[in-house]
Tab-separated table of all heavy atoms in Angstrom:
chain	number	residue	atom	x	y	z
A	408	LYS	N	0.819	-1.207	0.000
A	408	LYS	CA	0.000	0.000	0.000
A	408	LYS	C	0.858	1.264	0.000
A	408	LYS	O	0.409	2.334	-0.390
A	408	LYS	CB	-0.916	0.002	1.228
A	408	LYS	CG	-1.942	-1.134	1.207
A	408	LYS	CD	-2.802	-1.102	2.449
A	408	LYS	CE	-3.813	-2.248	2.438
A	408	LYS	NZ	-4.651	-2.243	3.663
A	409	ALA	N	2.105	1.120	0.428
A	409	ALA	CA	2.978	2.282	0.512
A	409	ALA	C	3.809	2.475	-0.752
A	409	ALA	O	4.513	3.462	-0.883
A	409	ALA	CB	3.902	2.161	1.722
A	410	THR	N	3.741	1.550	-1.659
A	410	THR	CA	4.520	1.678	-2.893
A	410	THR	C	3.713	1.168	-4.063
A	410	THR	O	3.024	0.156	-3.962
A	410	THR	CB	5.850	0.909	-2.804
A	410	THR	OG1	6.522	1.029	-4.059
A	410	THR	CG2	5.635	-0.555	-2.477
A	411	SER	N	3.766	1.883	-5.178
A	411	SER	CA	3.003	1.472	-6.348
A	411	SER	C	3.881	0.817	-7.394
A	411	SER	O	3.386	0.397	-8.438
A	411	SER	CB	2.302	2.698	-6.961
A	411	SER	OG	3.265	3.676	-7.346
A	412	ARG	N	5.180	0.741	-7.132
A	412	ARG	CA	6.094	0.214	-8.138
A	412	ARG	C	6.794	-1.033	-7.614
A	412	ARG	O	7.617	-0.961	-6.702
A	412	ARG	CB	7.120	1.274	-8.533
A	412	ARG	CG	6.466	2.517	-9.108
A	412	ARG	CD	7.452	3.336	-9.910
A	412	ARG	NE	8.546	3.818	-9.087
A	412	ARG	CZ	9.625	4.411	-9.576
A	412	ARG	NH1	9.760	4.544	-10.885
A	412	ARG	NH2	10.575	4.839	-8.781
A	413	PRO	N	6.470	-2.169	-8.182
A	413	PRO	CA	7.080	-3.412	-7.708
A	413	PRO	C	8.477	-3.589	-8.261
A	413	PRO	O	8.854	-2.989	-9.271
A	413	PRO	CB	6.148	-4.478	-8.287
A	413	PRO	CG	5.696	-3.873	-9.578
A	413	PRO	CD	5.528	-2.402	-9.279
A	414	ASN	N	9.259	-4.400	-7.599
A	414	ASN	CA	10.467	-4.924	-8.221
A	414	ASN	C	10.031	-5.987	-9.230
A	414	ASN	O	8.941	-6.558	-9.135
A	414	ASN	CB	11.387	-5.544	-7.169
A	414	ASN	CG	11.835	-4.510	-6.154
A	414	ASN	OD1	12.273	-3.420	-6.493
A	414	ASN	ND2	11.689	-4.862	-4.890
A	415	ILE	N	10.889	-6.265	-10.191
A	415	ILE	CA	10.545	-7.210	-11.258
A	415	ILE	C	11.718	-8.147	-11.490
A	415	ILE	O	12.846	-7.677	-11.663
A	415	ILE	CB	10.196	-6.476	-12.568
A	415	ILE	CG1	9.009	-5.532	-12.361
A	415	ILE	CG2	9.896	-7.474	-13.686
A	415	ILE	CD1	8.801	-4.554	-13.501
A	416	ILE	N	11.457	-9.429	-11.461
A	416	ILE	CA	12.481	-10.420	-11.804
A	416	ILE	C	11.954	-11.265	-12.963
A	416	ILE	O	10.872	-11.828	-12.890
A	416	ILE	CB	12.839	-11.345	-10.633
A	416	ILE	CG1	13.418	-10.546	-9.471
A	416	ILE	CG2	13.860	-12.385	-11.095
A	416	ILE	CD1	13.695	-11.396	-8.260
A	417	VAL	N	12.714	-11.342	-14.016
A	417	VAL	CA	12.368	-12.171	-15.159
A	417	VAL	C	13.327	-13.356	-15.162
A	417	VAL	O	14.533	-13.182	-15.314
A	417	VAL	CB	12.503	-11.394	-16.482
A	417	VAL	CG1	12.128	-12.295	-17.660
A	417	VAL	CG2	11.648	-10.145	-16.462
A	418	ILE	N	12.797	-14.542	-14.989
A	418	ILE	CA	13.619	-15.758	-15.071
A	418	ILE	C	13.384	-16.351	-16.458
A	418	ILE	O	12.278	-16.766	-16.788
A	418	ILE	CB	13.248	-16.778	-13.980
A	418	ILE	CG1	13.245	-16.119	-12.603
A	418	ILE	CG2	14.235	-17.946	-14.013
A	418	ILE	CD1	12.779	-17.033	-11.493
A	419	PHE	N	14.440	-16.354	-17.256
A	419	PHE	CA	14.310	-16.686	-18.677
A	419	PHE	C	15.259	-17.820	-19.005
A	419	PHE	O	16.472	-17.642	-19.091
A	419	PHE	CB	14.657	-15.443	-19.494
A	419	PHE	CG	14.038	-15.397	-20.863
A	419	PHE	CD1	12.661	-15.315	-21.026
A	419	PHE	CD2	14.835	-15.401	-21.995
A	419	PHE	CE1	12.087	-15.241	-22.288
A	419	PHE	CE2	14.270	-15.324	-23.265
A	419	PHE	CZ	12.896	-15.240	-23.410
A	420	SER	N	14.720	-19.005	-19.203
A	420	SER	CA	15.546	-20.170	-19.501
A	420	SER	C	15.676	-20.350	-21.011
A	420	SER	O	15.178	-19.542	-21.798
A	420	SER	CB	14.949	-21.427	-18.860
A	420	SER	OG	13.652	-21.655	-19.371
A	421	ASP	N	16.324	-21.423	-21.423
A	421	ASP	CA	16.619	-21.623	-22.837
A	421	ASP	C	16.119	-22.988	-23.304
A	421	ASP	O	16.531	-24.017	-22.766
A	421	ASP	CB	18.140	-21.516	-23.069
A	421	ASP	CG	18.491	-21.286	-24.523
A	421	ASP	OD1	18.119	-22.126	-25.360
A	421	ASP	OD2	19.154	-20.277	-24.825
A	422	ASP	N	15.223	-22.984	-24.269
A	422	ASP	CA	14.713	-24.232	-24.869
A	422	ASP	C	13.896	-25.081	-23.897
A	422	ASP	O	13.916	-26.318	-23.977
A	422	ASP	CB	15.867	-25.084	-25.419
A	422	ASP	CG	16.533	-24.483	-26.639
A	422	ASP	OD1	15.947	-23.566	-27.238
A	422	ASP	OD2	17.641	-24.929	-26.995
A	423	HIS	N	13.165	-24.465	-23.004
A	423	HIS	CA	12.373	-25.236	-22.049
A	423	HIS	C	10.987	-25.520	-22.638
A	423	HIS	O	10.143	-24.636	-22.766
A	423	HIS	CB	12.242	-24.489	-20.725
A	423	HIS	CG	11.743	-25.350	-19.618
A	423	HIS	ND1	11.739	-24.953	-18.296
A	423	HIS	CD2	11.235	-26.619	-19.600
A	423	HIS	CE1	11.242	-25.923	-17.536
A	423	HIS	NE2	10.916	-26.934	-18.324
A	424	ALA	N	10.765	-26.762	-22.991
A	424	ALA	CA	9.508	-27.190	-23.600
A	424	ALA	C	8.374	-27.215	-22.588
A	424	ALA	O	8.576	-27.567	-21.420
A	424	ALA	CB	9.674	-28.582	-24.211
A	425	LEU	N	7.180	-26.861	-23.036
A	425	LEU	CA	6.008	-26.983	-22.178
A	425	LEU	C	5.817	-28.415	-21.706
A	425	LEU	O	5.355	-28.650	-20.582
A	425	LEU	CB	4.749	-26.528	-22.926
A	425	LEU	CG	4.375	-25.058	-22.816
A	425	LEU	CD1	5.378	-24.187	-23.564
A	425	LEU	CD2	2.969	-24.803	-23.366
A	426	GLN	N	6.198	-29.380	-22.563
A	426	GLN	CA	6.022	-30.793	-22.226
A	426	GLN	C	6.906	-31.201	-21.043
A	426	GLN	O	6.751	-32.300	-20.509
A	426	GLN	CB	6.373	-31.689	-23.409
A	426	GLN	CG	5.764	-31.288	-24.729
A	426	GLN	CD	6.695	-30.388	-25.526
A	426	GLN	OE1	6.846	-29.218	-25.205
A	426	GLN	NE2	7.345	-30.937	-26.538
A	427	ALA	N	7.844	-30.338	-20.654
A	427	ALA	CA	8.748	-30.634	-19.541
A	427	ALA	C	8.454	-29.738	-18.349
A	427	ALA	O	9.356	-29.390	-17.574
A	427	ALA	CB	10.204	-30.485	-19.982
A	428	ILE	N	7.198	-29.369	-18.187
A	428	ILE	CA	6.748	-28.585	-17.026
A	428	ILE	C	5.479	-29.250	-16.500
A	428	ILE	O	4.500	-29.405	-17.241
A	428	ILE	CB	6.475	-27.124	-17.406
A	428	ILE	CG1	7.748	-26.466	-17.963
A	428	ILE	CG2	5.937	-26.350	-16.220
A	428	ILE	CD1	7.513	-25.105	-18.563
A	429	SER	N	5.487	-29.617	-15.251
A	429	SER	CA	4.331	-30.363	-14.753
A	429	SER	C	3.081	-29.504	-14.677
A	429	SER	O	1.962	-30.023	-14.720
A	429	SER	CB	4.649	-30.991	-13.392
A	429	SER	OG	5.233	-30.081	-12.493
A	430	ALA	N	3.219	-28.186	-14.604
A	430	ALA	CA	2.050	-27.319	-14.650
A	430	ALA	C	1.309	-27.448	-15.969
A	430	ALA	O	0.121	-27.140	-16.059
A	430	ALA	CB	2.466	-25.861	-14.434
A	431	TYR	N	2.010	-27.902	-16.999
A	431	TYR	CA	1.384	-28.126	-18.302
A	431	TYR	C	1.071	-29.600	-18.520
A	431	TYR	O	0.814	-30.020	-19.643
A	431	TYR	CB	2.301	-27.625	-19.410
A	431	TYR	CG	2.373	-26.123	-19.504
A	431	TYR	CD1	3.424	-25.432	-18.922
A	431	TYR	CD2	1.378	-25.407	-20.135
A	431	TYR	CE1	3.489	-24.052	-18.988
A	431	TYR	CE2	1.432	-24.028	-20.212
A	431	TYR	CZ	2.492	-23.346	-19.641
A	431	TYR	OH	2.552	-21.982	-19.694
A	432	GLY	N	1.111	-30.374	-17.459
A	432	GLY	CA	0.736	-31.770	-17.576
A	432	GLY	C	1.824	-32.681	-18.080
A	432	GLY	O	1.545	-33.706	-18.694
A	433	SER	N	3.071	-32.331	-17.839
A	433	SER	CA	4.171	-33.158	-18.328
A	433	SER	C	4.070	-34.587	-17.820
A	433	SER	O	3.897	-34.824	-16.623
A	433	SER	CB	5.522	-32.579	-17.884
A	433	SER	OG	6.576	-33.464	-18.225
A	434	PRO	N	4.203	-35.566	-18.709
A	434	PRO	CA	4.247	-36.964	-18.275
A	434	PRO	C	5.650	-37.404	-17.871
A	434	PRO	O	5.847	-38.547	-17.492
A	434	PRO	CB	3.791	-37.724	-19.527
A	434	PRO	CG	4.321	-36.902	-20.654
A	434	PRO	CD	4.227	-35.460	-20.193
A	435	TYR	N	6.614	-36.483	-17.958
A	435	TYR	CA	8.017	-36.851	-17.793
A	435	TYR	C	8.640	-36.408	-16.480
A	435	TYR	O	9.512	-37.080	-15.932
A	435	TYR	CB	8.851	-36.231	-18.922
A	435	TYR	CG	8.358	-36.494	-20.306
A	435	TYR	CD1	8.005	-35.444	-21.155
A	435	TYR	CD2	8.231	-37.794	-20.797
A	435	TYR	CE1	7.567	-35.672	-22.449
A	435	TYR	CE2	7.785	-38.038	-22.092
A	435	TYR	CZ	7.451	-36.967	-22.901
A	435	TYR	OH	7.019	-37.194	-24.181
A	436	VAL	N	8.243	-35.219	-15.963
A	436	VAL	CA	9.006	-34.604	-14.886
A	436	VAL	C	8.091	-33.738	-14.030
A	436	VAL	O	7.067	-33.236	-14.502
A	436	VAL	CB	10.152	-33.737	-15.489
A	436	VAL	CG1	9.595	-32.536	-16.237
A	436	VAL	CG2	11.163	-33.314	-14.427
A	437	LYS	N	8.471	-33.572	-12.776
A	437	LYS	CA	7.773	-32.677	-11.853
A	437	LYS	C	8.603	-31.404	-11.688
A	437	LYS	O	9.819	-31.469	-11.467
A	437	LYS	CB	7.555	-33.338	-10.495
A	437	LYS	CG	6.698	-34.600	-10.542
A	437	LYS	CD	5.263	-34.293	-10.958
A	437	LYS	CE	4.392	-35.540	-10.919
A	437	LYS	NZ	3.010	-35.257	-11.402
A	438	THR	N	7.933	-30.258	-11.785
A	438	THR	CA	8.602	-28.965	-11.604
A	438	THR	C	7.827	-28.140	-10.580
A	438	THR	O	7.153	-27.163	-10.918
A	438	THR	CB	8.680	-28.218	-12.941
A	438	THR	OG1	7.360	-28.184	-13.531
A	438	THR	CG2	9.633	-28.915	-13.910
A	439	PRO	N	7.905	-28.500	-9.308
A	439	PRO	CA	7.038	-27.878	-8.301
A	439	PRO	C	7.264	-26.383	-8.107
A	439	PRO	O	6.322	-25.656	-7.776
A	439	PRO	CB	7.370	-28.666	-7.027
A	439	PRO	CG	8.741	-29.236	-7.273
A	439	PRO	CD	8.783	-29.539	-8.734
A	440	ASN	N	8.485	-25.925	-8.285
A	440	ASN	CA	8.751	-24.507	-8.041
A	440	ASN	C	8.242	-23.624	-9.169
A	440	ASN	O	7.674	-22.549	-8.925
A	440	ASN	CB	10.254	-24.308	-7.821
A	440	ASN	CG	10.747	-25.054	-6.598
A	440	ASN	OD1	10.352	-24.765	-5.485
A	440	ASN	ND2	11.594	-26.050	-6.814
A	441	ILE	N	8.446	-24.064	-10.396
A	441	ILE	CA	7.854	-23.342	-11.527
A	441	ILE	C	6.332	-23.390	-11.428
A	441	ILE	O	5.644	-22.378	-11.637
A	441	ILE	CB	8.349	-23.933	-12.858
A	441	ILE	CG1	9.861	-23.707	-13.002
A	441	ILE	CG2	7.604	-23.316	-14.038
A	441	ILE	CD1	10.492	-24.434	-14.174
A	442	ASP	N	5.802	-24.556	-11.085
A	442	ASP	CA	4.353	-24.701	-10.931
A	442	ASP	C	3.797	-23.710	-9.905
A	442	ASP	O	2.696	-23.178	-10.069
A	442	ASP	CB	4.004	-26.115	-10.465
A	442	ASP	CG	4.326	-27.181	-11.493
A	442	ASP	OD1	4.757	-26.840	-12.613
A	442	ASP	OD2	4.166	-28.375	-11.161
A	443	ARG	N	4.560	-23.478	-8.848
A	443	ARG	CA	4.090	-22.585	-7.788
A	443	ARG	C	3.799	-21.188	-8.326
A	443	ARG	O	2.825	-20.540	-7.899
A	443	ARG	CB	5.136	-22.508	-6.667
A	443	ARG	CG	4.743	-21.552	-5.550
A	443	ARG	CD	5.847	-21.352	-4.533
A	443	ARG	NE	5.501	-20.285	-3.610
A	443	ARG	CZ	6.330	-19.771	-2.698
A	443	ARG	NH1	7.558	-20.250	-2.588
A	443	ARG	NH2	5.929	-18.780	-1.929
A	444	ILE	N	4.626	-20.707	-9.244
A	444	ILE	CA	4.410	-19.373	-9.812
A	444	ILE	C	3.033	-19.301	-10.449
A	444	ILE	O	2.271	-18.352	-10.242
A	444	ILE	CB	5.517	-19.038	-10.831
A	444	ILE	CG1	6.882	-18.995	-10.147
A	444	ILE	CG2	5.225	-17.698	-11.507
A	444	ILE	CD1	8.042	-18.833	-11.113
A	445	GLY	N	2.693	-20.315	-11.241
A	445	GLY	CA	1.390	-20.331	-11.876
A	445	GLY	C	0.258	-20.558	-10.911
A	445	GLY	O	-0.817	-19.968	-11.041
A	446	ARG	N	0.486	-21.425	-9.930
A	446	ARG	CA	-0.565	-21.715	-8.949
A	446	ARG	C	-0.920	-20.471	-8.136
A	446	ARG	O	-2.087	-20.251	-7.771
A	446	ARG	CB	-0.103	-22.837	-8.025
A	446	ARG	CG	-1.182	-23.322	-7.057
A	446	ARG	CD	-0.712	-24.527	-6.264
A	446	ARG	NE	0.429	-24.219	-5.399
A	446	ARG	CZ	1.665	-24.643	-5.600
A	446	ARG	NH1	1.940	-25.389	-6.659
A	446	ARG	NH2	2.637	-24.320	-4.760
A	447	GLU	N	0.077	-19.641	-7.852
A	447	GLU	CA	-0.147	-18.426	-7.073
A	447	GLU	C	-0.321	-17.201	-7.968
A	447	GLU	O	-0.370	-16.071	-7.482
A	447	GLU	CB	1.022	-18.220	-6.106
A	447	GLU	CG	1.150	-19.359	-5.093
A	447	GLU	CD	2.345	-19.208	-4.155
A	447	GLU	OE1	3.097	-18.216	-4.294
A	447	GLU	OE2	2.519	-20.072	-3.270
A	448	GLY	N	-0.407	-17.440	-9.275
A	448	GLY	CA	-0.566	-16.344	-10.220
A	448	GLY	C	-1.366	-16.791	-11.420
A	448	GLY	O	-2.495	-17.251	-11.291
A	449	VAL	N	-0.748	-16.677	-12.609
A	449	VAL	CA	-1.459	-16.992	-13.841
A	449	VAL	C	-0.609	-17.898	-14.719
A	449	VAL	O	0.608	-17.768	-14.785
A	449	VAL	CB	-1.828	-15.705	-14.619
A	449	VAL	CG1	-0.601	-14.871	-14.944
A	449	VAL	CG2	-2.589	-16.032	-15.911
A	450	VAL	N	-1.275	-18.811	-15.399
A	450	VAL	CA	-0.666	-19.665	-16.403
A	450	VAL	C	-1.175	-19.222	-17.774
A	450	VAL	O	-2.382	-19.131	-17.997
A	450	VAL	CB	-1.033	-21.148	-16.178
A	450	VAL	CG1	-0.469	-22.006	-17.308
A	450	VAL	CG2	-0.530	-21.627	-14.844
A	451	PHE	N	-0.247	-18.955	-18.672
A	451	PHE	CA	-0.590	-18.602	-20.047
A	451	PHE	C	-0.522	-19.867	-20.899
A	451	PHE	O	0.543	-20.469	-21.039
A	451	PHE	CB	0.384	-17.563	-20.592
A	451	PHE	CG	0.255	-16.207	-19.961
A	451	PHE	CD1	0.728	-15.974	-18.675
A	451	PHE	CD2	-0.331	-15.162	-20.650
A	451	PHE	CE1	0.622	-14.720	-18.083
A	451	PHE	CE2	-0.457	-13.906	-20.069
A	451	PHE	CZ	0.020	-13.686	-18.781
A	452	THR	N	-1.634	-20.245	-21.459
A	452	THR	CA	-1.663	-21.478	-22.241
A	452	THR	C	-1.435	-21.238	-23.726
A	452	THR	O	-1.250	-22.194	-24.485
A	452	THR	CB	-3.006	-22.203	-22.061
A	452	THR	OG1	-4.049	-21.392	-22.619
A	452	THR	CG2	-3.284	-22.468	-20.594
């Protein structure tokens, strides 16, 4: 409430397939920390 400007962190990986993220239903691997971002925010499909 005291600040209108957030800090911003962009985590940008290289060649990360949607099929390798459990938030997208990956049958191969679990990615709980990446999933948390979407669970507590938004997932862009």
Side-chain angles (χ1 to χ4, degrees):
K408 295 179 181 179
T410 177
S411 60
R412 300 199 298 171
N414 298 312
I415 301 167
I416 298 176
V417 180
I418 309 175
F419 205 65
S420 60
D421 198 301
D422 291 345
H423 194 170
L425 270 69
Q426 312 93 285
I428 300 171
S429 48
Y431 287 98
S433 173
Y435 308 120
V436 67
K437 299 294 184 183
T438 51
N440 297 296
I441 295 171
D442 294 356
R443 178 187 171 188
I444 297 173
R446 186 174 64 251
E447 298 178 359
V449 57
V450 176
F451 291 75
T452 65

